[in-house]
Amino acid sequence: MKRDFLHITDFTVEEIHEIFDKAKEVKARFKNREDYKPFKDHSLAMIFAKPSARTRISFETGFFRMGGHALYLSPADIEIGKREAVKDVARVISRYNDMIMARLFKHEHMLELAEYSSVPVVNGLTDKNHPCQVMADIFTILEHRGNLDDMKIVYVGDGNNIVYSWLSLAMRLPFHFVCACPENYKPDMDMVKKVNDAGVSTIEVLHDPKAAVKDADVVYTDVWASMGQKHEIEERMKHFKEFQINDDLMAAAGSNAYFMHCLPAERGKEVTDSVLEAKNSIIFDEAENRMHVQNAIMLKVAGK
Ligand code: CP
Ligand code: NVA
């Protein structure tokens, strides 16, 4: 049976820990410039329906350095679901390539792509989640803290695809997750209830960012308008203005809090320059770890 990685819950707790170990190992191999080519003579098709810097560069570079070749297929190349049905794209690509990484709008399209592909599919973001990002985030936190014990992670901003991947992680690893967002921009509360009922983690959805960040180990944010919503930014700014991460909010979190952002950041909107550039901002370690964690994920789904 082929494996896909579409949601963090596609991995068991043990497998998540295996990914951490493998990411650490592969990261060291890359740093030492070892001759490490598990994907020699393999190819990865990367389908993008939305723009990207980190996802494209980290997958392409990671796969290349592990001996394989990655093809970048831009939004105009395939027009998945428009020029050609998702299930046809899935079966055609499966005849040429050993693995697919896709960034799509609709999560249903990701599920269909995986259903009809005979090769592993890795989710590089949909409107519903961004599992590779949050796997890299938690690995980065592990590197910085040395453990994942008694963690309070406070996400301040829109209840979007990133939040759903944090909720998904909370079904597997225990932590206290707080989403501080405007009333109208909450994540799906049925999903929040489901995660709380699972009994692994504690989830709170609050609307006062200052109270929410108290004693946080990590303060995390993302853009107020995601890809596909950029035209809503003026309207959204009215609702989100109290939710900017600035020096005051970081002071309310306390001096132990790391700052994280999946990037790209819209400087001066959801976060100020000073927070992005502060000593406790670990955004570039976070960005780097996308590559190492995704390499571990690709090795896992490929059975290597
Ligand atoms: N964080 C992230 O996925 O960045 P890109 O949109 O640039 O790939
Ligand atoms: N929520 C953002 C994440 C970008 C990496 C978006 O979907 O645009």
Coordinates of all heavy atoms in Angstrom, one line a residue, residues 194-251:
K194 N -13.7 18.5 18.7 CA -13.2 17.1 18.4 C -11.8 16.9 19.0 O -11.5 15.9 19.6 CB -13.3 16.9 16.9 CG -13.2 15.5 16.5 CD -13.3 15.4 14.9 CE -12.2 14.6 14.4 NZ -11.9 14.7 13.0
V195 N -11.0 17.9 18.8 CA -9.6 17.8 19.3 C -9.6 17.8 20.8 O -8.9 17.0 21.4 CB -8.7 18.9 18.7 CG1 -7.3 18.8 19.2 CG2 -8.7 18.9 17.2
N196 N -10.4 18.7 21.4 CA -10.4 18.6 22.9 C -11.0 17.3 23.4 O -10.5 16.7 24.4 CB -11.3 19.8 23.4 CG -10.5 21.1 23.6 OD1 -9.3 21.0 24.0 ND2 -11.1 22.2 23.4
D197 N -12.0 16.8 22.7 CA -12.6 15.5 23.1 C -11.6 14.3 23.0 O -11.7 13.4 23.7 CB -13.9 15.2 22.3 CG -15.0 16.1 22.7 OD1 -14.9 16.8 23.7 OD2 -16.0 16.2 22.0
A198 N -10.7 14.5 22.1 CA -9.7 13.4 21.9 C -8.8 13.3 23.1 O -8.2 12.2 23.4 CB -8.8 13.7 20.6
G199 N -8.7 14.4 23.9 CA -8.1 14.3 25.2 C -6.5 14.3 25.2 O -5.9 14.0 26.2
V200 N -5.9 14.5 24.1 CA -4.4 14.6 24.0 C -3.9 15.9 24.4 O -3.0 16.1 25.2 CB -3.9 14.2 22.6 CG1 -2.4 14.3 22.5 CG2 -4.4 12.8 22.2
S201 N -4.5 17.0 23.9 CA -4.1 18.4 24.1 C -5.3 19.2 24.6 O -6.4 18.7 24.6 CB -3.6 19.0 22.8 OG -2.4 18.4 22.4
T202 N -5.0 20.4 25.0 CA -6.0 21.4 25.4 C -6.0 22.5 24.5 O -5.0 23.1 24.2 CB -5.7 21.9 26.8 OG1 -5.6 20.8 27.7 CG2 -6.9 22.8 27.3
I203 N -7.2 22.8 23.9 CA -7.3 23.9 22.9 C -8.2 25.0 23.5 O -9.3 24.6 24.0 CB -8.0 23.4 21.6 CG1 -7.3 22.1 21.1 CG2 -7.9 24.5 20.5 CD1 -5.9 22.1 20.7
E204 N -7.8 26.2 23.3 CA -8.7 27.3 23.7 C -8.8 28.3 22.5 O -7.8 28.5 21.8 CB -8.1 28.1 24.9 CG -8.2 27.4 26.2 CD -7.6 28.3 27.3 OE1 -6.4 28.5 27.3 OE2 -8.4 28.9 28.1
V205 N -9.9 28.9 22.3 CA -10.1 29.9 21.3 C -10.5 31.2 22.1 O -11.6 31.2 22.7 CB -11.1 29.5 20.2 CG1 -11.3 30.7 19.2 CG2 -10.7 28.3 19.5
L206 N -9.6 32.2 22.0 CA -9.9 33.4 22.8 C -9.9 34.6 21.9 O -9.4 34.5 20.8 CB -8.8 33.6 23.9 CG -8.6 32.4 24.8 CD1 -7.4 32.6 25.8 CD2 -9.8 32.1 25.7
H207 N -10.3 35.8 22.4 CA -10.4 37.0 21.6 C -9.6 38.1 22.2 O -9.6 39.2 21.6 CB -11.8 37.3 21.4 CG -12.6 36.1 20.8 ND1 -12.3 35.6 19.6 CD2 -13.6 35.4 21.4 CE1 -13.1 34.6 19.4 NE2 -13.9 34.4 20.5
D208 N -8.9 37.9 23.3 CA -8.1 39.0 23.9 C -6.6 38.5 23.7 O -6.1 37.7 24.5 CB -8.5 39.2 25.3 CG -7.5 40.2 26.0 OD1 -6.5 40.6 25.4 OD2 -7.8 40.5 27.2
P209 N -5.9 39.1 22.7 CA -4.5 38.6 22.5 C -3.6 38.8 23.7 O -2.7 37.9 23.9 CB -4.0 39.4 21.3 CG -5.0 40.5 21.0 CD -6.3 40.1 21.8
K210 N -3.7 39.9 24.4 CA -2.8 40.1 25.5 C -3.0 39.1 26.6 O -2.0 38.5 27.2 CB -3.1 41.5 26.1 CG -2.1 42.5 25.6 CD -1.7 43.6 26.7 CE -0.5 44.3 26.1 NZ -0.8 45.7 25.9
A211 N -4.2 38.7 26.9 CA -4.5 37.7 28.0 C -4.0 36.3 27.4 O -3.5 35.5 28.1 CB -6.0 37.7 28.3
A212 N -4.2 36.1 26.1 CA -3.9 34.8 25.5 C -2.5 34.5 25.6 O -2.1 33.3 25.8 CB -4.4 34.8 24.1
V213 N -1.6 35.5 25.3 CA -0.2 35.1 25.2 C 0.6 35.0 26.5 O 1.7 34.5 26.6 CB 0.6 36.2 24.4 CG1 0.1 36.3 22.9 CG2 0.6 37.6 25.0
K214 N -0.1 35.2 27.6 CA 0.5 35.1 29.0 C 1.2 33.8 29.1 O 0.6 32.7 28.9 CB -0.5 35.4 30.1 CG 0.1 35.6 31.4 CD -0.9 36.1 32.4 CE -0.3 36.3 33.8 NZ 0.2 35.1 34.4
D215 N 2.5 33.8 29.5 CA 3.2 32.5 29.8 C 3.4 31.6 28.6 O 3.6 30.4 28.7 CB 2.6 31.7 30.9 CG 2.6 32.5 32.2 OD1 3.5 33.3 32.5 OD2 1.6 32.3 33.0
A216 N 3.3 32.2 27.4 CA 3.5 31.4 26.2 C 4.9 30.9 26.0 O 5.8 31.7 26.4 CB 3.1 32.2 24.9
D217 N 5.1 29.7 25.5 CA 6.4 29.3 25.1 C 6.7 29.7 23.7 O 7.9 30.0 23.3 CB 6.5 27.8 25.2 CG 6.4 27.3 26.6 OD1 7.4 27.5 27.4 OD2 5.3 26.8 27.0
V218 N 5.7 29.8 22.9 CA 5.8 30.2 21.5 C 4.6 31.1 21.2 O 3.5 30.8 21.5 CB 5.7 29.0 20.6 CG1 5.7 29.5 19.1 CG2 6.9 28.1 20.8
V219 N 4.9 32.3 20.6 CA 3.9 33.1 20.0 C 4.0 33.0 18.5 O 5.1 33.2 17.9 CB 4.0 34.6 20.4 CG1 3.0 35.5 19.7 CG2 3.9 34.7 22.0
Y220 N 2.9 32.7 17.8 CA 3.0 32.3 16.4 C 2.0 33.1 15.6 O 0.9 33.4 16.1 CB 2.6 30.8 16.3 CG 2.9 30.2 14.9 CD1 3.9 29.2 14.8 CD2 2.2 30.5 13.8 CE1 4.1 28.6 13.6 CE2 2.4 29.8 12.6 CZ 3.4 28.9 12.5 OH 3.6 28.2 11.3
T221 N 2.3 33.6 14.5 CA 1.3 34.2 13.6 C 1.5 33.9 12.2 O 2.4 33.3 11.7 CB 1.3 35.8 13.9 OG1 0.0 36.3 13.3 CG2 2.4 36.5 13.2
D222 N 0.5 34.3 11.4 CA 0.5 34.1 9.9 C -0.3 35.4 9.4 O -0.9 36.1 10.1 CB -0.3 32.8 9.6 CG -0.3 32.5 8.1 OD1 0.5 33.1 7.4 OD2 -1.1 31.6 7.7
V223 N -0.2 35.5 8.1 CA -0.9 36.6 7.4 C -2.4 36.7 7.7 O -3.0 35.6 8.0 CB -0.7 36.6 5.9 CG1 0.7 36.8 5.5 CG2 -1.2 35.2 5.3
W224 N -2.9 37.9 7.7 CA -4.4 38.0 8.0 C -5.2 37.6 6.8 O -6.4 37.3 7.0 CB -4.6 39.5 8.4 CG -4.1 39.8 9.7 CD1 -3.7 39.0 10.7 CD2 -3.7 41.1 10.2 NE1 -3.2 39.7 11.8 CE2 -3.2 41.0 11.5 CE3 -3.9 42.4 9.7 CZ2 -2.8 42.1 12.3 CZ3 -3.5 43.5 10.4 CH2 -2.9 43.4 11.7
A225 N -4.7 37.7 5.6 CA -5.4 37.2 4.4 C -4.6 36.2 3.7 O -3.5 36.6 3.2 CB -5.8 38.4 3.5
S226 N -5.0 35.0 3.6 CA -4.2 33.9 2.9 C -4.4 34.0 1.4 O -5.2 34.8 0.9 CB -4.8 32.6 3.4 OG -4.4 32.3 4.7
M227 N -3.6 33.2 0.7 CA -3.7 33.2 -0.7 C -5.1 32.8 -1.1 O -5.7 31.9 -0.6 CB -2.7 32.1 -1.3 CG -1.2 32.5 -1.1 SD -0.1 31.3 -1.7 CE 0.1 30.3 -0.2
G228 N -5.6 33.6 -2.1 CA -7.0 33.4 -2.5 C -7.9 34.4 -1.7 O -9.1 34.5 -2.1
Q229 N -7.4 35.1 -0.7 CA -8.2 36.0 0.1 C -7.6 37.4 0.1 O -8.1 38.3 0.8 CB -8.3 35.6 1.6 CG -8.8 34.2 1.8 CD -8.6 33.8 3.2 OE1 -7.7 34.2 3.9 NE2 -9.5 32.9 3.7
K230 N -6.6 37.6 -0.7 CA -5.8 38.9 -0.6 C -6.7 40.1 -0.9 O -6.4 41.2 -0.3 CB -4.6 38.9 -1.6 CG -3.5 37.8 -1.3 CD -2.9 38.0 0.1 CE -1.8 36.9 0.3 NZ -1.4 36.9 1.7
H231 N -7.7 39.9 -1.7 CA -8.6 41.1 -2.0 C -9.4 41.5 -0.7 O -10.0 42.5 -0.7 CB -9.6 40.7 -3.1 CG -10.4 39.5 -2.8 ND1 -9.9 38.2 -2.9 CD2 -11.7 39.3 -2.4 CE1 -10.8 37.3 -2.5 NE2 -11.9 38.0 -2.2
E232 N -9.4 40.7 0.3 CA -10.2 41.0 1.5 C -9.4 41.8 2.5 O -9.8 42.0 3.6 CB -10.7 39.7 2.2 CG -11.6 38.9 1.4 CD -11.9 37.5 2.1 OE1 -11.7 37.4 3.3 OE2 -12.4 36.6 1.4
I233 N -8.1 42.1 2.2 CA -7.2 42.6 3.2 C -7.7 43.9 3.9 O -7.6 44.0 5.1 CB -5.7 42.7 2.7 CG1 -4.8 43.0 3.9 CG2 -5.6 43.6 1.6 CD1 -4.6 42.0 5.0
E234 N -8.2 44.8 3.1 CA -8.7 46.1 3.7 C -9.7 45.8 4.8 O -9.7 46.3 5.9 CB -9.3 47.0 2.6 CG -8.2 47.5 1.6 CD -7.0 48.2 2.3 OE1 -7.3 49.0 3.2 OE2 -5.9 48.0 1.8
E235 N -10.7 45.0 4.5 CA -11.8 44.6 5.4 C -11.2 43.9 6.6 O -11.5 44.2 7.8 CB -12.8 43.8 4.7 CG -13.9 43.2 5.5 CD -14.8 44.3 6.1 OE1 -14.8 45.4 5.6 OE2 -15.5 44.0 7.2
R236 N -10.3 43.0 6.3 CA -9.7 42.2 7.4 C -8.9 43.0 8.4 O -8.9 42.8 9.6 CB -8.9 41.0 6.8 CG -9.7 39.9 6.3 CD -8.9 38.8 5.6 NE -9.7 37.7 5.3 CZ -9.7 36.5 5.9 NH1 -8.9 36.3 6.9 NH2 -10.5 35.6 5.6
M237 N -8.2 44.0 7.8 CA -7.4 44.9 8.7 C -8.2 45.5 9.8 O -7.7 45.8 10.9 CB -6.6 45.9 7.9 CG -5.3 45.2 7.3 SD -4.4 46.2 6.2 CE -3.7 47.4 7.3
K238 N -9.4 45.9 9.5 CA -10.3 46.5 10.5 C -10.5 45.6 11.7 O -10.6 46.0 12.8 CB -11.7 46.9 9.9 CG -11.6 47.9 8.8 CD -13.1 48.2 8.4 CE -13.0 48.7 6.9 NZ -14.3 48.4 6.2
H239 N -10.7 44.3 11.4 CA -11.0 43.3 12.5 C -9.7 42.9 13.2 O -9.8 42.5 14.3 CB -11.7 42.1 11.9 CG -13.0 42.4 11.2 ND1 -14.2 42.4 11.8 CD2 -13.2 42.8 9.9 CE1 -15.1 42.8 11.0 NE2 -14.6 43.0 9.8
F240 N -8.6 42.9 12.5 CA -7.4 42.3 13.1 C -6.5 43.3 13.7 O -5.4 42.9 14.3 CB -6.6 41.6 12.0 CG -7.2 40.2 11.6 CD1 -8.1 40.0 10.6 CD2 -6.9 39.1 12.4 CE1 -8.6 38.8 10.3 CE2 -7.4 37.8 12.1 CZ -8.2 37.7 11.0
K241 N -6.8 44.6 13.7 CA -5.8 45.6 14.1 C -5.3 45.4 15.6 O -4.2 45.7 15.9 CB -6.2 47.0 13.8 CG -7.4 47.5 14.5 CD -7.7 49.0 14.1 CE -8.8 49.6 14.9 NZ -10.1 49.0 14.7
E242 N -6.2 44.9 16.4 CA -5.7 44.6 17.8 C -4.9 43.3 17.9 O -4.5 42.9 19.0 CB -7.0 44.4 18.7 CG -8.0 45.6 18.8 CD -7.3 46.9 19.1 OE1 -6.4 46.8 20.0 OE2 -7.7 47.9 18.5
F243 N -4.7 42.6 16.8 CA -4.1 41.3 16.9 C -2.7 41.3 16.3 O -2.1 40.3 16.1 CB -5.0 40.3 16.1 CG -6.2 40.0 16.9 CD1 -7.3 40.8 16.8 CD2 -6.3 38.9 17.7 CE1 -8.5 40.6 17.5 CE2 -7.5 38.6 18.4 CZ -8.6 39.5 18.3
Q244 N -2.1 42.5 16.1 CA -0.7 42.6 15.6 C 0.2 42.1 16.7 O 0.1 42.5 17.9 CB -0.4 44.1 15.2 CG 1.0 44.2 14.6 CD 1.4 45.6 14.4 OE1 1.5 46.4 15.4 NE2 1.6 46.0 13.2
I245 N 1.2 41.4 16.3 CA 2.3 41.0 17.2 C 3.4 42.1 17.2 O 4.1 42.3 16.2 CB 2.9 39.7 16.9 CG1 1.8 38.7 16.6 CG2 3.9 39.2 17.9 CD1 1.8 37.4 17.2
N246 N 3.4 42.8 18.3 CA 4.4 43.9 18.4 C 5.2 43.8 19.7 O 4.9 42.8 20.4 CB 3.7 45.3 18.3 CG 2.5 45.3 19.2 OD1 2.5 44.8 20.3 ND2 1.4 46.0 18.8
D247 N 6.0 44.7 20.0 CA 6.9 44.5 21.2 C 6.0 44.5 22.5 O 6.3 43.7 23.4 CB 7.9 45.7 21.3 CG 8.9 45.6 20.2 OD1 9.2 44.5 19.8 OD2 9.5 46.6 19.8
D248 N 4.9 45.2 22.5 CA 4.0 45.2 23.7 C 3.4 43.8 23.9 O 3.4 43.3 25.0 CB 2.8 46.1 23.5 CG 3.1 47.5 23.9 OD1 4.3 47.7 24.4 OD2 2.3 48.4 23.7
L249 N 3.0 43.2 22.8 CA 2.4 41.9 22.9 C 3.4 40.8 23.3 O 3.2 40.0 24.2 CB 1.7 41.5 21.6 CG 0.7 40.3 21.8 CD1 -0.5 40.7 22.7 CD2 0.2 39.9 20.4
M250 N 4.6 41.0 22.8 CA 5.7 40.0 23.1 C 6.1 40.2 24.6 O 6.4 39.2 25.3 CB 6.9 40.2 22.2 CG 6.7 39.6 20.8 SD 6.1 37.9 20.7 CE 7.5 36.9 21.2
A251 N 6.0 41.5 25.1 CA 6.3 41.7 26.5 C 5.3 41.0 27.4 O 5.6 40.5 28.4 CB 6.4 43.2 26.8

